[in-house]
Amino acid sequence: MSDFARAPLSAILGPTNTGKTHLAVERMAAHSSGMIGFPLRLLAREVYDRVIKLKGPNQVALITGEEKILPKDARWFLCTAESMPMERDFAFVALDEAQLGADPERGHVFTDRMLHARGREETMILGSEALAPMVRALLPKAEIIGRPRFSTLSYAGPAKLSRLPPRSAIVAFSAEQVYAVAEMLRRMRGGAAVVMGALSPRTRNAQVAMYQAGEVDYLVATDAIGMGLNMDVTHVAFAGLSKFDGKRRRRLTPAEMAQIAGRAGRHQKDGTFGTLTSEGEPASEFRTEEIEAIEEHRFAPLDHLYWREGDPEFRSLDALICSLERRPEKAGLRAAPEAVDLAVLKRLSEDAEVRARANGQERVRRLWAACGLPDFRKTGADHHARLVARIYTHLTEGEGRIPQGWYAGEVARLDNVQGDIDTLADRIAGVRTWAYIAHRADWLASPEEMAERARAVEEKLSDALHERLTQRFVDRRTAVLMRDVGGKGASQFPVLVDDQGEVSVGTYAIGKLTGFHFEVDPTARHADRKMLLATAERRLSGEYEKRAAALVADKDESFTLRTEPGSPVAILWRGHEVARLGPGKNLLSPRVHLDRRIERLSERGREAVIERLKLWVRHGVERTLGHLRVAGMAAQDPGAAPAVRSILAMLVDEGGIIAREAVLKPLAALDRDQRRAIGKLKVRIGALDLFMPDVLKPEARRWRTALRAAAAGETMPALPPEASVLLPTPPNGERLLLSRLGFRALGPQMLRVDLVERLARHAHEARTGKQARVVDEALATSLGLQPPAIARLMKELGFRPSTGEAGWIWRGRARPKEERRADPSHAFAALAELRRNG
């Protein structure tokens, strides 16, 4: 092919899902002729099917090692890289996945095409961004154009097979692993499509069509999926992160991981990737740097490509081997490792008969062509060399053709659709060998006839293999239920709900719907329960909407607040949990989080339920904590004095009870009218605490505690008995809860604050001479208040022990009346305030 030095040469580089191949097809279609080389036969076939829709079957050719569709008027060629007709003249030429030039096995082919395949009007090199340094080094005149990925690719972490989302592809690195994963998916999810490089295009297309049609929601594939095969995949799960590369088992490179993971997401649809883990086995996990590289499409640039002489010498067998082992002269190129074709050639060069036959340039050229027969069955160089030797013998005797009878017999021997998956796959590999031979124009007397015979056998085997794969890895009944879950088979299994909530799918009674919770019939078989449950859950949407409407229309009496210790605070409707409370804009306005089962409702239904539950919460707050809400509104009144607003705000934040010492400063700033205004809000300014008596009532206390737990995102704590007024002082953690509930710590005991104030009032009256003794002995005795607790209370009120008849005396120094009242921090002022406020 000519160099066409002045024709535009561009390198389109970027990650997967950047539309590079689509761009190349569009550019080719705009030219009078064109050719694109692909890394896989399957990919070449896929693009061929697209192009014939644009140009018609008579204008498009497909050339791979085993398949050749070559209309006489063909102008647009889709080929594998090895099969590109380099001698032809095209207006446009493109090479896909050119970074494969770094592949030890096939890299030299891609490097050769990158260096020499040119279109007379335009040439495109498609590949990853890592190829950029090699393009600059080897093709300095090429324009490098970056292509950003259309969608975002993000890491989703490890997941069990049972947790994988629908439209997932699981990538494995051996046939055994592919089969094992697909078998598990059959049992758990109804099955999976299987795609492997060894499949024929016909089998592969049938499997992919089954996946694309939604008959199954999962795909199990080898790493061949990474080479541009386009399917609707949203998540890629790696069954492992290492593979055998022909020489050793090694970890995938980040670029290889990205090539595979990049199959997730198409066009503007984002995708995810992760690893697959199984019970009892640790997951093969991505390293942090690998995740970052994949998500950000950052990979180490290639510093070499493999090269082998693309135009070897055919003067003699030794000259051919010598030229193929020649080392590259250009920087950045490395001699390719010994490929199968060269290994076979070397082995045959040691065969005296073969060496004798290769006695001229044309014979040597023919030998090299025979060595190019791929080892489709992966039998190894020694075994494969024997087949090549026999073929070469036929090509160098008589008319220089393979005997048609022998060829037909070999193909007929493979024409057998009996056997398991591996047997059929091996036969297809064998047929591919003979299909390759039939597409060498000068190897058979009737190549078209033999190619058609090989194609017919391959199609028959492919259909049988698709059938075996489907039989083994797809459970039709389960698949139908899975399609029903996906909304694609709703008419097949009618779902009925009777008056008692019993649910049946078709003729199966599968459980009971209580509230919005569906419980599976315990007698259902374990193998059926998950599928039947999923089908019923999806199809119960109409019933959920009816129940949501009933909830919205129901009376307040049908709702209750669940405040069981250790459980989240929840709203129950007719005894069934429908929502939980969480942190809201303030203590009295919690957020309503619907139960996950109600999330199945339509958006309109969910909003209606949320509004009804919010209304019920507001009613409950008004009923039990109405005065606290009013105080909260007063705290936001811009017309109120700052000190009043400050006190009320802190009081409401604490749930209606706050220690006096916490509000000393704003309390000192209050005048008499402001104190009365606070008192009208049902707030009592006590000697030691400010509190709202209403919040001490049992129901108010329960709601207040529940709202505080919800605001903190905590479970409901245990409450003391409703009638409790005196409790033993617990450890510090529990003491805070009791303090918030309205109990003041007095040494070994905690007394409810309203009773603390009664005792404080009595002490004040004794101080002013209205009572004989400072301590209300009758009240203290009836409460069970211990002497240490009484002593602690008296001290906090400003008294000290006395040997006199009263037992306690005021310990403050005598000061003018006005001074004492101006100092609200002084306990005496607090006691005096009790008298003023009645």
Side-chain angles (χ1 to χ4, degrees), residues 674-721:
Q674 291 168 346
R675 290 172 181 272
R676 288 175 178 172
I678 290 178
K680 289 180 180 180
L681 294 172
K682 305 297 182 182
V683 178
R684 183 173 297 175
I685 302 177
L688 299 178
D689 299 282
L690 276 68
F691 63 96
M692 305 182 77
D694 285 348
V695 305
L696 298 176
K697 296 177 180 178
E699 187 65 2
R701 186 171 65 181
R702 185 174 76 92
W703 271 77
R704 189 159 48 88
T705 306
L707 293 175
R708 185 175 291 281
E714 299 172 350
T715 57
M716 183 70 183
L719 296 176

Coordinates of all heavy atoms in Angstrom, one line a residue, residues 674-721:
Q674 N -41.4 41.8 81.6 CA -40.8 40.7 80.8 C -40.9 39.4 81.5 O -41.2 38.4 80.9 CB -39.4 41.1 80.4 CG -39.3 42.2 79.4 CD -37.9 42.8 79.3 OE1 -37.0 42.4 80.1 NE2 -37.6 43.6 78.2
R675 N -40.7 39.4 82.8 CA -40.8 38.2 83.6 C -42.3 37.7 83.5 O -42.5 36.5 83.4 CB -40.4 38.4 85.0 CG -38.9 38.7 85.2 CD -38.6 39.1 86.6 NE -37.1 39.3 86.8 CZ -36.3 38.4 87.1 NH1 -36.7 37.1 87.3 NH2 -35.0 38.7 87.2
R676 N -43.2 38.7 83.7 CA -44.6 38.3 83.6 C -45.0 37.7 82.2 O -45.8 36.8 82.1 CB -45.5 39.5 83.9 CG -45.5 39.8 85.4 CD -46.3 41.1 85.7 NE -46.3 41.4 87.1 CZ -46.8 42.6 87.6 NH1 -47.3 43.5 86.8 NH2 -46.8 42.8 88.9
A677 N -44.4 38.3 81.2 CA -44.6 37.8 79.8 C -44.2 36.4 79.7 O -44.8 35.5 79.0 CB -44.0 38.7 78.8
I678 N -43.0 36.1 80.2 CA -42.5 34.7 80.2 C -43.4 33.8 81.0 O -43.7 32.7 80.6 CB -41.0 34.7 80.7 CG1 -40.1 35.4 79.7 CG2 -40.6 33.2 80.9 CD1 -38.7 35.4 80.1
G679 N -43.9 34.3 82.1 CA -44.8 33.5 82.9 C -46.1 33.2 82.2 O -46.6 32.1 82.4
K680 N -46.6 34.1 81.4 CA -47.8 33.8 80.7 C -47.6 32.7 79.6 O -48.6 32.1 79.2 CB -48.3 35.1 80.0 CG -48.8 36.2 81.0 CD -49.3 37.4 80.2 CE -49.8 38.5 81.2 NZ -50.2 39.7 80.5
L681 N -46.4 32.4 79.3 CA -46.1 31.4 78.3 C -46.0 30.0 79.0 O -45.5 29.0 78.5 CB -44.8 31.6 77.6 CG -44.9 32.9 76.6 CD1 -43.5 33.1 76.1 CD2 -45.8 32.6 75.5
K682 N -46.5 30.0 80.3 CA -46.5 28.7 81.1 C -45.1 28.3 81.4 O -44.8 27.1 81.6 CB -47.2 27.6 80.4 CG -48.6 27.9 79.9 CD -49.5 28.2 81.1 CE -51.0 28.4 80.7 NZ -51.8 28.7 81.9
V683 N -44.2 29.3 81.6 CA -42.8 29.0 82.0 C -42.7 29.5 83.5 O -43.0 30.6 83.8 CB -41.8 29.8 81.1 CG1 -40.4 29.6 81.6 CG2 -41.9 29.4 79.7
R684 N -42.2 28.6 84.3 CA -41.9 28.9 85.7 C -40.5 29.2 85.9 O -39.6 28.4 85.6 CB -42.4 27.7 86.6 CG -42.3 28.0 88.1 CD -42.9 26.9 88.9 NE -44.3 26.8 88.6 CZ -45.1 25.8 89.1 NH1 -44.6 24.9 89.9 NH2 -46.4 25.8 88.9
I685 N -40.2 30.4 86.5 CA -38.8 30.8 86.8 C -38.6 30.4 88.2 O -39.0 31.1 89.2 CB -38.6 32.3 86.6 CG1 -38.9 32.6 85.1 CG2 -37.2 32.6 86.9 CD1 -38.8 34.1 84.8
G686 N -37.9 29.3 88.4 CA -37.7 28.7 89.8 C -36.4 29.2 90.4 O -35.6 29.9 89.7
A687 N -36.2 28.7 91.6 CA -34.9 29.1 92.3 C -33.7 28.5 91.6 O -32.6 29.1 91.6 CB -35.0 28.7 93.7
L688 N -33.9 27.2 91.1 CA -32.8 26.5 90.5 C -33.0 26.2 89.0 O -32.0 26.0 88.3 CB -32.5 25.2 91.3 CG -32.1 25.3 92.7 CD1 -32.0 24.0 93.4 CD2 -30.9 26.2 92.9
D689 N -34.2 26.2 88.6 CA -34.5 25.8 87.2 C -35.6 26.7 86.6 O -36.5 27.1 87.3 CB -34.9 24.3 87.1 CG -33.8 23.4 87.6 OD1 -32.9 23.1 86.8 OD2 -33.9 22.9 88.8
L690 N -35.6 26.8 85.3 CA -36.7 27.4 84.5 C -37.3 26.2 83.9 O -36.6 25.4 83.2 CB -36.2 28.4 83.5 CG -36.0 29.8 84.0 CD1 -34.8 29.9 84.9 CD2 -35.9 30.7 82.8
F691 N -38.6 26.0 84.0 CA -39.3 24.9 83.3 C -40.7 25.2 83.0 O -41.3 26.1 83.6 CB -39.2 23.6 84.3 CG -39.9 23.8 85.6 CD1 -41.2 23.3 85.8 CD2 -39.3 24.4 86.7 CE1 -41.8 23.4 87.0 CE2 -39.9 24.5 87.9 CZ -41.2 24.0 88.0
M692 N -41.3 24.3 82.2 CA -42.7 24.4 81.8 C -43.4 23.2 82.5 O -43.1 22.0 82.1 CB -42.9 24.4 80.3 CG -42.1 25.5 79.6 SD -42.3 25.5 77.8 CE -43.9 26.3 77.7
P693 N -44.2 23.4 83.4 CA -44.8 22.2 84.1 C -45.5 21.2 83.2 O -45.5 20.0 83.5 CB -45.8 22.9 85.1 CG -45.3 24.3 85.3 CD -44.6 24.7 84.0
D694 N -46.0 21.7 82.1 CA -46.7 20.8 81.2 C -45.8 19.8 80.6 O -46.3 18.7 80.3 CB -47.4 21.6 80.1 CG -48.7 22.3 80.6 OD1 -49.1 22.0 81.7 OD2 -49.2 23.2 79.8
V695 N -44.5 20.1 80.4 CA -43.7 19.1 79.8 C -43.3 18.0 80.7 O -42.6 17.0 80.3 CB -42.4 19.8 79.2 CG1 -42.8 20.9 78.3 CG2 -41.5 20.3 80.3
L696 N -43.6 18.1 82.0 CA -43.3 17.0 82.9 C -44.4 15.9 82.9 O -44.2 14.9 83.5 CB -43.2 17.6 84.3 CG -42.1 18.7 84.5 CD1 -42.2 19.2 85.9 CD2 -40.7 18.1 84.2
K697 N -45.5 16.1 82.2 CA -46.5 15.1 82.2 C -46.0 13.9 81.4 O -45.2 14.1 80.5 CB -47.8 15.7 81.5 CG -48.4 16.8 82.3 CD -49.6 17.4 81.6 CE -50.2 18.6 82.4 NZ -51.4 19.2 81.7
P698 N -46.5 12.7 81.7 CA -46.0 11.5 81.1 C -46.0 11.5 79.6 O -45.0 11.2 78.9 CB -46.9 10.4 81.7 CG -47.4 10.9 83.0 CD -47.5 12.4 82.8
E699 N -47.1 11.9 78.9 CA -47.2 11.8 77.5 C -46.3 12.9 76.9 O -45.6 12.7 75.9 CB -48.6 12.0 77.0 CG -48.8 11.8 75.5 CD -48.5 10.4 75.0 OE1 -48.2 9.5 75.9 OE2 -48.6 10.1 73.8
A700 N -46.2 14.1 77.5 CA -45.4 15.1 77.0 C -43.9 14.7 77.1 O -43.1 14.9 76.3 CB -45.6 16.4 77.8
R701 N -43.6 14.0 78.3 CA -42.2 13.6 78.5 C -41.8 12.5 77.4 O -40.7 12.5 76.9 CB -42.1 13.0 79.9 CG -40.7 12.6 80.3 CD -40.7 12.2 81.8 NE -41.5 11.0 82.1 CZ -41.6 10.5 83.3 NH1 -41.0 11.1 84.3 NH2 -42.3 9.4 83.5
R702 N -42.8 11.6 77.1 CA -42.5 10.6 76.1 C -42.2 11.2 74.7 O -41.3 10.9 74.0 CB -43.7 9.6 76.0 CG -43.5 8.4 75.1 CD -44.6 7.5 75.2 NE -45.8 7.9 74.5 CZ -46.1 7.7 73.2 NH1 -45.2 6.9 72.5 NH2 -47.1 8.1 72.6
W703 N -43.1 12.2 74.3 CA -42.9 12.8 73.0 C -41.6 13.6 73.0 O -40.9 13.6 72.0 CB -44.1 13.7 72.7 CG -45.2 13.0 72.0 CD1 -46.1 12.1 72.5 CD2 -45.5 13.1 70.6 NE1 -47.0 11.7 71.6 CE2 -46.6 12.2 70.4 CE3 -45.0 13.8 69.6 CZ2 -47.2 12.1 69.1 CZ3 -45.5 13.6 68.3 CH2 -46.6 12.8 68.1
R704 N -41.4 14.3 74.1 CA -40.2 15.2 74.1 C -38.9 14.3 74.0 O -38.0 14.7 73.2 CB -40.2 16.0 75.5 CG -39.1 17.0 75.6 CD -39.5 18.0 76.7 NE -39.9 17.4 77.9 CZ -39.1 17.1 78.9 NH1 -37.8 17.3 78.8 NH2 -39.6 16.5 80.0
T705 N -38.9 13.2 74.7 CA -37.7 12.3 74.6 C -37.6 11.7 73.2 O -36.5 11.6 72.7 CB -37.8 11.2 75.7 OG1 -38.0 11.8 76.9 CG2 -36.6 10.3 75.7
A706 N -38.7 11.3 72.6 CA -38.7 10.7 71.3 C -38.2 11.8 70.3 O -37.4 11.4 69.4 CB -40.1 10.3 70.9
L707 N -38.7 13.0 70.4 CA -38.2 14.0 69.4 C -36.8 14.3 69.6 O -36.0 14.5 68.6 CB -39.1 15.3 69.6 CG -40.5 15.2 69.3 CD1 -41.3 16.5 69.6 CD2 -40.7 14.9 67.8
R708 N -36.3 14.3 70.8 CA -34.8 14.6 71.0 C -34.0 13.4 70.5 O -33.0 13.6 69.8 CB -34.5 14.8 72.5 CG -33.1 15.1 72.8 CD -32.9 15.4 74.3 NE -33.5 16.7 74.6 CZ -33.1 17.9 74.4 NH1 -31.9 18.0 73.7 NH2 -33.7 18.9 74.8
A709 N -34.5 12.2 70.6 CA -33.8 11.0 70.1 C -33.7 11.1 68.6 O -32.7 10.8 67.9 CB -34.4 9.7 70.5
A710 N -34.9 11.5 68.0 CA -34.9 11.6 66.5 C -34.0 12.7 66.0 O -33.3 12.5 65.0 CB -36.4 11.9 66.1
A711 N -33.9 13.8 66.7 CA -33.1 14.9 66.3 C -31.6 14.5 66.4 O -30.8 15.0 65.6 CB -33.3 16.1 67.2
A712 N -31.3 13.6 67.3 CA -29.9 13.2 67.5 C -29.6 12.0 66.6 O -28.4 11.5 66.6 CB -29.6 12.9 68.9
G713 N -30.6 11.4 65.9 CA -30.4 10.2 65.1 C -30.1 9.0 65.9 O -29.4 8.1 65.5
E714 N -30.7 9.0 67.1 CA -30.5 7.8 68.0 C -31.7 7.1 68.3 O -32.8 7.5 67.9 CB -30.0 8.4 69.4 CG -28.7 9.2 69.3 CD -28.3 9.8 70.6 OE1 -29.2 9.9 71.5 OE2 -27.2 10.4 70.7
T715 N -31.6 5.9 68.9 CA -32.7 5.1 69.2 C -33.4 5.6 70.5 O -32.8 6.4 71.2 CB -32.4 3.6 69.4 OG1 -31.4 3.6 70.5 CG2 -31.8 3.0 68.2
M716 N -34.6 5.2 70.8 CA -35.3 5.7 71.9 C -34.7 5.1 73.2 O -34.5 3.9 73.3 CB -36.8 5.2 71.8 CG -37.7 5.7 72.9 SD -38.0 7.5 72.8 CE -39.0 7.8 74.3
P717 N -34.4 6.0 74.2 CA -33.9 5.5 75.5 C -35.0 5.0 76.3 O -36.2 5.3 76.1 CB -33.2 6.8 76.0 CG -34.0 7.9 75.5 CD -34.4 7.5 74.1
A718 N -34.6 4.3 77.4 CA -35.6 3.8 78.3 C -36.0 5.0 79.3 O -35.2 5.7 79.7 CB -35.0 2.7 79.1
L719 N -37.3 5.1 79.5 CA -37.8 6.2 80.3 C -38.1 5.6 81.7 O -38.5 4.4 81.9 CB -39.1 6.7 79.8 CG -39.0 7.5 78.4 CD1 -40.4 7.9 77.9 CD2 -38.1 8.7 78.5
P720 N -38.0 6.5 82.7 CA -38.4 6.0 84.1 C -39.9 5.8 84.2 O -40.7 6.3 83.3 CB -38.0 7.1 85.0 CG -37.9 8.4 84.1 CD -37.6 7.8 82.7
P721 N -40.4 5.1 85.2 CA -41.9 4.9 85.3 C -42.6 6.3 85.3 O -42.1 7.3 85.8 CB -42.0 4.2 86.6 CG -40.7 3.5 86.8 CD -39.7 4.4 86.2

